[in-house]
Amino acid sequence: MEYRNVQVLNHPLIRHKLTLLRNRNTTHKDFRELAEELAGLMTYEVCRGMHTRECRIETPLEPYGGQELENEVTIVPILRAGLVMAQGMLDMIPHAKVGHIGLFRDESTLQPVQYYCKLPDSTHESDVFVVDPMLATGGSASLAISLVKERQPRSISFCCIIAAPEGIAVLARDHPDVKVVTMEIDRQLNENGYILPGLGDAGDRIYGTK
Ligand code: PRP
Ligand code: URA
């Protein structure tokens, strides 16, 4: 099936690490490290369309006309699970700013409940990456993107590790202007809103809470 405005990162190293991540026997320590590494690999691809401007520098030998990123970059993890992805991206873009959006899914309604939002004052000048490993029903991602849009940034991309078709459809409906970048699109949600085959509860696997 073709999805509009969705990029699936099809790379052998990503498929290898994602398989390790999904494995139920992977420890919390390894899960955290893998999610961070995957986000680092993803950064290379999601930055491809960024604008650069010319800048003059001096090498030790002579003047040089180089390039620098034109816009500020802001990474916005959705708490909790997005934090490890944010770290992986920061390893690649250390000068990026970071906003935090705290949401959890109500277990019975599957609706997102907001408990925190702190975005940089300069978000309107930024290319923003909203990051969360899991796009399931899409409720959390859609709300987080709406909160970021209030600041009118230059661009928004939503970056995840696994996406369900249901979540992709919700973002296409609510935010057709936002590009979704994922490492794989899974089959479906189960009756509890978990992605199949998925990897279970990302937050719990990262932090060992269950
Ligand atoms: C998970 C995940 C997403 C959300 C996705 O977080 O990290 O934020 O669920 O589900 P949705 O697409 O149906 O909204 P969770 O609500 O479990 O919170 P946590 O990170 O604090 O564990
Ligand atoms: N949140 C998760 O962490 N995993 C899922 O499969 C769905 C939502």
Side-chain angles (χ1 to χ4, degrees):
M1 170 144 182
E2 279 288 309
Y3 296 97
R4 285 189 57 234
N5 226 8
V6 177
Q7 182 181 6
V8 181
L9 302 183
N10 190 10
H11 188 284
L13 195 50
I14 288 180
R15 289 200 301 273
H16 175 82
K17 288 180 186 288
L18 181 49
T19 302
L20 293 172
L21 192 77
R22 289 180 188 272
N23 190 329
R24 65 184 305 154
N25 296 321
T26 295
T27 63
H28 306 308
K29 173 179 172 290
D30 289 345
F31 192 97
R32 274 197 292 272
E33 288 175 3
L34 285 162
E36 198 174 315
E37 288 165 8
L38 281 163
L41 293 173
M42 172 176 247
T43 308
Y44 183 78
E45 198 54 48
V46 294
C47 290
R48 193 179 285 282
M50 277 182 163
H51 297 286
T52 56
R53 65 177 163 226
E54 287 182 13
C55 66
R56 301 290 303 173
I57 59 144
E58 300 278 335
T59 77
L61 300 176
E62 59 178 51
Y64 175 76
Q67 303 277 317
E68 61 185 7
L69 289 179
E70 188 168 317
N71 300 328
E72 189 173 289
V73 178
T74 297
I75 301 165
V76 180
I78 301 178
L79 308 181
R80 296 173 296 168
L83 282 173
V84 284
M85 285 187 72
Q87 189 54 54
M89 286 193 157
L90 277 173
D91 291 343
M92 298 295 130
I93 322 174
H95 68 279
K97 294 186 174 177
V98 182
H100 294 88
I101 294 180
L103 304 176
F104 67 86
R105 254 185 0 167
D106 181 292
E107 278 180 15
S108 50
T109 65
L110 299 184
Q111 292 305 303
V113 180
Q114 183 187 336
Y115 59 90
Y116 192 71
C117 182
K118 180 88 178 171
L119 300 172
D121 289 345
S122 58
T123 300
H124 61 283
E125 295 171 7
S126 286
D127 289 319
V128 175
F129 299 129
V130 178
V131 300
D132 191 321
M134 311 304 278
L135 176 64
T137 67
S140 303
S142 181
L143 175 54
I145 292 167
S146 295
L147 292 168
V148 172
K149 276 188 175 174
E150 289 174 11
R151 304 299 189 93
Q152 299 183 302
R154 288 179 185 273
S155 71
I156 306 177
S157 304
F158 178 77
C159 305
C160 61
I161 294 179
I162 297 178
E166 294 89 335
I168 291 173
V170 164
L171 289 193
R173 181 196 68 198
D174 296 353
H175 302 290
D177 51 326
V178 171
K179 183 174 178 184
V180 176
V181 184
T182 184
M183 300 183 191
E184 256 171 40
I185 300 175
D186 275 9
R187 196 175 68 246
Q188 65 185 105
L189 298 179
N190 72 9
E191 62 283 7
N192 298 318
Y194 279 86
I195 299 175
L196 298 175
L199 50 70
D201 188 301
D204 287 337
R205 292 200 63 187
I206 290 167
Y207 297 109
T209 35
K210 269 189 191 150

